[in-house]
Every structure is written in C-alpha cells, then in structure tokens.
C-alpha cells in the first residue's frame, strides 16, 4: 500500500514538473531535460535603476521544437502556471534563440519553476514557472469590415464603482463595451494598447470578468483572470473576427493606427454612420474632424 | 357508374397525398435567432433578398444543414448565396464563397441582428451578468472547425456539438416571463436548469417564454413597497416622490459623477420593478400592491391605503394613468418650456401645509429628457439635479416622513432613451427614505 502511495505522489510530482507542448491535436510532455544539449547565455537588464547581469543555463527552444518536429508554426504561446501568456513570432524565435532556463547564476530552479528567457527582448516577454507551450499554425488576423467607436458606446453605458475584485476604481465592465458589438462572446479577441502591446486572449479564460478602469480619461484593461503583467494600459483597439472597437481619441489619424496594427491596404474611403447620417469620408483626414468623433460605426 | 366512382376516389386519394406532401409546410425553411417571430420561406431566392424581407438589420447568418454542419457568413456575402429548393429539400448554393457554404439539406438559417427582444438576461443581485441572445445560444451549440477565405469572402465552418445548457451558482432564482409573471426557482449548486430550453427565437422555462433569470435579486419590489408605505403612513404623514425612470444604474452613475445633488440625502436601495418596466405597470403595482392585469379595477389606486378619515393627494402631469379615490391634481406645462416638473413642484408647494396624510408628487422630466437625449446624457443628469432641488425644498417644508421611489430605469438605443427590457438598466428601480 505504501509503495502505491509513494508511486502516486511521485507520478503527480513528475506531471507537475513537466512542460506541455500542444501542437494541433497532439499533446507532448517534456519531463526529461537531460536528453537535450545544454546551452549557456548571459543577459543584461535594468530593474529599479539597478543593472543586472545574469547567467542562464538551459535548453534552446529550437532544439525542443526540432525534437517534436514542430516546423509549421507562425507563433508560439507560452503560459505560466498562473495563466500569464506571452506570444513569440516565428522570426523572433529564430532570431533571438530563446532558452528554457534550468539554472540561473549557478542555482538550479525546481522543476516546476523553469523559465523562458528571450535574450534581446524586454523581460516582460520572459516567463516564470513555464507550464505550457501552444503552437499556433495560422496567426492571420483579417481586416475588420466594421469598426465601432468605443467612446460613443461607453457614453451610453453606466459608470460603475463595484468593479470587483478591484477596489476604489471607476469604470465600466468589459462586457458593457463588447456585448452589443460582437454577435457572440467566445474565442480569441485581439487587444492592443496605445503603446503597441498586443494580446490575443480567449474570452472565457481571460476577459469574461474584465473591467475597463478609467485613468485620466483613458481606459486600462484589467481582469482578475489575468496576471497583472498582462493588463493593458490605455486600451486602444479590440477585434474579434471581422468586427472591431476603436478608442478613436487615442489617435490622430489612420496612419497612427496603422503603426500599431500593421494594416495593409486601408481603403481610401470609409463609410461613417453617426446618429444622424451615413457619409463616405476619406481616410487620410485627421480625426480632429468632428465627424470621426461623432461616428458610431465605420464600414470599411 | 362504379368505375367513375373508383376514379373519383383515386383522384381524391391523389389530391390528399399531394396536399400532405406539399401543403403541410413540413419542408419550409425556418429562420431562427435574433428575429421577433417565427419566419419560414417557401420560395427559392437570393439570401440577401430573403433576409431583407425579414429585417434590413441582419448582419450575420448561420446556415445549418440536417447533418449538423453549418456555415457562418457575414452580410457582405449574403448576395453571393442562393437558397434553393429541389424536390423536398433545401440547399444553399454559391461558387464565390468557400465550398463548405454549399449546404445540402439545409434545415435552418439562424440570423444575427443587434436588437433581440427575446434575449435572456442573467442578473445577480443588482447587476447584469450576461445577455444571451437566441443567436448566441444557438451558435454556442456548435464547435468551430475553421475559417476559410475565397474571393475576399470569409466564412467559418462549424459542426453541431451539444445542446444549449445554462448553469447556475446558487439557489433563490427568480424567473421573469414575457407575460409579466414572476416565479421563484431553486436551482441547486452548479446544476443545469433542466426545464430551460432554447426555441427558434426565444427561451422557454416550464412551458413559458422566459426573459430573465435573477439570482438573489433585491428584496424590495414594487408590490412590497405598497405594503411598506401603507404601514408607514399609519405612523405619521408621508410625502412620496415618484421619480419617473430613475433606475438604480442611472442613480449610481449620477452619484459617481457627484451629480446626485440633494438626492444624495436619501438612503436609496435597488428595487425590483414589474415587467414590463413601464410607468403604467409599476405605478399600478406600488399604488395597489398587485400586478396590473386585465382584471384589475382601474378605480382603486391607493383606495385601500388608509382609513377613510385620512386625506391623500396626488399631483402629477397632464396624463392621469389611473383614477384614485384620493384627490388628483393634473398639472399642465403652462410656460411650455418642456419641463413640466417646475409646474408640478409649484403646485405641490401649495399643498404642503394642507394637512394631507399622504402626498404623492410624480416628477416626469428626467424620463422626458432621457427619451430625447439618452439614458446617461449630460442633459438628463442636469435634470436630475434640478428635480433634486425641487425635492429639497418640498422635503424641508414637510412635516413627516419623506420617501422616493422610481418606476423603472432606462437604456439607450440609437441615441434615445427607452425602457422595455428586463435588463439591469431598465428593471432595477430605486426606493428609499430621507436620511
């Protein structure tokens, strides 16, 4: 009996300490890192004005991908045990050669505390307690056909203070903004901050209880289901399939929007619907034109 | 002779069979989702034209085949699809969209438009958790298989997965039905509400169309308020203000903006309004303690309220909704400035010292302004502040208790305020006593 219990405990521990890779419908668990060749890198970063140099020893991510014959990807999603999520594009993986670190400055991490280190990228793209890697084959985001203007949706919604679990904040529930725009609230939403930080997040997992906290006229996206590092400051754009919501007051023109969204082929004219009229307007005009600010929806 | 009878009989049989096959509409195409009634078509045609006959606001459609495969397409693709009937079966045909949009044995087209009057509102305490539209409930039954693009048309392929189900956290669940009836249910922890089903364009709970499910709603409701006030009026005179359409959400919104004015002197609480959330139904419920029905006696508002020797007065706008045994003063907007509450306030002032045991003052303007400018417009917030000043003056000159209640809330559609849904904005009213 004792042997069975010890065996079960060991099995659970081993499972906890593994990293899972999800590729299409397959799930691989990496339990034994000794099968891979070890690499060593040095990183330099600044934290609270202090310059930190660290030596990391671990496994090159490319080696792991090769081992499982994962070649057909455009992007990888990395999840920590608290659902912190970062995405790395294929070109970043090839150019920056990230590692799964097992040792830092000569000290070994326990096996459920392994880290993803991406040299030459800010440490917000690194991840602690790496638990899962998901392979994304196709990352194409389609150009939206219809864009709704966030400010003109929110002016018709009630401000709230009871944005649980956040206290002493004023704002809106995320659902207040998206409910009447998207036909169904499921699957991944693309969210972008004014600084260009982008996240593609599953609605049920991350956004169901999210809130928009009003900070100096801007909206910060926070969610109890998202680690604080993933919250989006000054939320500027949301997209799900062919519909999007734009915080138009964060931009001066489409050129600025293009900078963060990387759109190709923006049409020359867009149809604007205000409460009073429908009108076609050239996309190169400045957003200071009151028509843009009165818009309820834009049809591309 | 016998032979011609036989021929006639055979002809009759043939006719009946034809009627049975073609006349019983068994093979009509059904339109479901966010539509206001059950639509069926019998003729082939272009999808865009077919849908425009139902509503010009339809923006997405899910074409569903008998085998459970489905194609999700957007408005810009509607004109590229033909819906055709061959023999007894319907199918969709297109060569411009991805191939899976050609569906054999098409049985249903589920459509999306923003307005869905038969949505199911899920509320908890004083908040709305979710609004489930018939379209979203149907789509949730399917599993996404992939997205495809052809000739610049995007379409999504789905396959049927499982039946619509809803789980609840706690018991003490109030269901609101389309006929205005309300029923309490006990749904155990995280169990599905067994009798809830999704129909073509609405939801059914125990055979009736259900519009809202409300976990642990506010204790006070419009009928209970009647009996509460009835008790209070025996203690000392009551001055009661009816603030038309000032819902709990609007009240909170104005408070956050520090624009509640004198009304912040009241200890206000959320209150369940009757469905539909209109003045007629809720004014009746507060003044009689009963829900308005066809059998309701329209002469009895406030009539059993207190002893015959006590005196009551109602001051309101130019449209008297119900007759009362109390004296009723109907006020006109004499200066025609669109703010009838100024005249109501002036009239009420004249009656403060006239030994009334009960004085109801019905202010309308926050509702009027909201209908014109939207539920959370600056104009409406300013109007609330102004009415608050009338209430300040009247309350300070009244000897007795002072209460406020509202009949419903309001939400915005196309820039105008409306109230007809069992949503948090419309169905949660306010009530309370001056601090």
């Amino acid at each position: 009996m004792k042997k069975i219990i010890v065996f079960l405990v060991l099995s659970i521990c081993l499972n906890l300490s593994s990293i899972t890779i999800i590729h299409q419908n397959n799930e691989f668990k990496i339990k034994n890192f000794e099968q891979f060749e070890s690499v060593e890198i040095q990183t330099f970063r600044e934290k609270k004005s202090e310059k930190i140099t660290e030596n990391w020893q671990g496994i090159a991510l490319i080696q792991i991908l090769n081992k499982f014959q994962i070649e057909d990807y455009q992007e990888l999603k990395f999840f920590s045990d608290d659902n912190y999520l970062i995405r790395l594009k294929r070109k970043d993986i090839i150019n920056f050669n990230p590692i799964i670190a097992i040792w830092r400055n000569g000290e070994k991490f326990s096996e459920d505390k392994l880290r993803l280190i991406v040299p030459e990228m800010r440490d917000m793209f690194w991840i602690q307690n790496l638990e899962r890697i998901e392979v994304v084959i196709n990352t194409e985001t389609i150009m939206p056909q219809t864009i709704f203007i966030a400010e003109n949706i929110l002016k018709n919604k009630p401000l709230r203070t009871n944005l649980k679990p956040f206290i002493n904040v004023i704002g809106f529930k995320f659902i207040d903004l998206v409910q009447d725009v998207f036909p169904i609230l499921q699957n991944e939403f693309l969210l972008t901050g004014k600084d260009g930080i982008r996240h593609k997040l599953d609605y049920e997992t991350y956004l169901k209880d999210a809130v928009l906290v009003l900070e100096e006229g801007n909206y910060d996206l926070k969610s109890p289901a998202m680690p604080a590092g993933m919250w989006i400051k000054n939320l500027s754009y949301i997209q799900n399939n062919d519909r999007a919501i734009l915080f138009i007051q964060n931009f001066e023109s489409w050129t600025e929007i293009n900078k963060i969204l990387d759109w190709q082929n923006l049409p020359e004219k867009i149809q604007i619907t205000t409460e009073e009229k429908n009108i076609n307007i050239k996309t190169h005009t400045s957003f200071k034109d009151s028509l843009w600010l009165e818009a309820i929806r834009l049809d591309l | 002779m016998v032979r011609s009878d036989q021929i006639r009989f055979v002809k009759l049989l043939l006719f009946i069979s034809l009627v049975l096959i073609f006349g019983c509409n068994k093979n009509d195409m059904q339109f479901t989702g966010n539509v206001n009634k059950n639509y069926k078509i019998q003729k082939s045609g272009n999808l865009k034209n077919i849908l425009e006959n139902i509503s010009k606001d339809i923006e997405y459609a899910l074409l569903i085949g008998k085998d459970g495969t489905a194609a999700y397409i957007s408005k810009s693709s509607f004109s590229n699809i033909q819906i055709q009937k061959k023999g007894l079966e319907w199918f969709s045909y297109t060569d411009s969209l991805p191939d899976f949009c050609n569906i054999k044995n098409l049985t249903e087209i589920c459509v999306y438009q923003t307005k869905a009057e038969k949505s199911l509102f899920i509320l908890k305490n004083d908040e709305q958790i979710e609004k489930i539209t018939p379209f979203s409930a149907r789509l949730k039954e399917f599993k996404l298989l992939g997205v495809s693009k052809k000739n610049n048309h995007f379409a999504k392929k789905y396959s049927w997965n499982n039946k619509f189900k809803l789980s609840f956290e706690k018991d003490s669940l109030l269901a609101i039905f389309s006929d205005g009836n309300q029923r309490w249910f006990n749904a155990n922890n995280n169990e599905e509400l067994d009798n809830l089903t999704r129909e073509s364009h609405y939801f059914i709970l125990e055979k009736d169309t259900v519009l809202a499910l409300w976990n642990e709603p506010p204790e006070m409701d419009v009928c209970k308020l009647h009996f509460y006030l009835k008790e209070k009026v025996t203690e000392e005179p009551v001055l009661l203000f009816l603030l038309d359409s000032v819902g709990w959400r609007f009240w909170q919104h104005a408070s956050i903006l520090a624009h509640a004015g004198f009304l912040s002197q009241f200890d206000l609480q959320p209150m369940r309004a009757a469905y539909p959330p209109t003045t007629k139904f809720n004014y009746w419920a507060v003044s009689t303690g009963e829900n308005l029905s066809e059998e309701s006696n329209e002469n009895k508002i406030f009539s059993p309220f207190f002893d015959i020797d006590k005196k009551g007065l109602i001051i309101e706008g130019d449209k008297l909704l119900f007759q009362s045994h109390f004296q009723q003063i109907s006020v006109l907007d004499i200066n025609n400035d669109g703010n009838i509450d100024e005249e109501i306030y002036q009239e009420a002032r004249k009656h403060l010292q006239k030994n009334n045991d009960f004085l109801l003052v019905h202010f309308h303007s926050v509702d009027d302004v909201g209908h014109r400018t939207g539920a959370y417009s600056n104009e409406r917030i300013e109007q609330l502040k102004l009415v608050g000043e009338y209430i300040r003056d009247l309350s300070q000159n009244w000897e007795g208790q002072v209460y406020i209640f509202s009949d419903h809330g309001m939400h915005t559609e196309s820039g105008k305020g409306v109230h007809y849904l069992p949503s948090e904005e419309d169905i949660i009213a306010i009530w309370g006593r001056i601090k």
Side-chain angles (χ1 to χ4, degrees), chain A residues 30-43:
Chain A
I30 322 169
K31 291 176 185 170
N32 173 15
F33 288 91
E34 283 162 12
Q35 59 181 308
F36 299 102
E37 190 188 324
S38 176
V39 290
E40 201 170 338
I41 57 167
Q42 195 170 55
T43 58

Side-chain angles (χ1 to χ4, degrees), chain B residues 220 223-240 286 302 304-307 310 356-359 398-404 431-434:
Chain B
M220 183 59 87
C223 293
K224 277 187 193 162
L225 181 62
H226 171 86
F227 297 103
Y228 178 88
L229 292 169
K230 192 173 173 176
E231 199 183 307
K232 291 293 167 189
V233 83
T234 60
E235 294 167 7
E236 56 177 332
V238 165
L239 171 60
L240 178 64
V286 173
F302 291 114
F305 210 51
F306 41 54
D307 300 339
K310 292 200 174 182
N356 283 303
D357 297 287
F358 177 79
L359 174 57
W398 174 261
E399 281 182 20
Q401 308 164 82
V402 183
Y403 291 91
I404 280 180
W431 81 284
R433 184 179 178 163
I434 201 162

Side-chain angles (χ1 to χ4, degrees), chain A residues 140 142 145 155-162 164 170 173 175-176 179-187 204 241-243 275 297, chain B residues 59-60 72 74 76 112 114 126-131 135-136 139-140 144 149 154 156 249 253 256-257 376 412 414-415 424-425:
Chain A
E140 188 182 8
I142 59 171
Q145 291 186 358
K155 78 175 187 191
N156 291 318
K157 300 291 175 188
L159 273 169
R160 300 170 191 266
T161 49
N162 55 339
K164 290 171 201 160
I170 292 173
K173 286 184 179 182
I175 198 172
D176 290 339
Q179 183 166 261
D180 290 328
V181 169
F182 301 104
I184 186 163
L185 300 175
Q186 63 173 203
N187 303 327
E204 280 291 320
N241 295 314
D242 60 351
R243 292 197 151 196
E275 268 161 18
R297 63 183 276 171
Chain B
E59 298 189 86
Y60 295 94
Y72 178 93
S74 64
S76 57
Y112 170 84
T114 308
D126 65 344
E127 277 187 65
Q128 188 169 304
I129 307 298
E130 199 179 357
K131 179 176 89 173
F135 176 83
S136 69
L139 192 57
K140 274 184 183 170
L144 178 66
K149 185 183 174 185
F154 280 90
K156 290 200 242 177
R249 286 269 84 88
H253 179 84
I256 291 168
L257 295 174
Y376 304 95
T412 308
S414 306
E424 63 172 350
E425 288 174 277

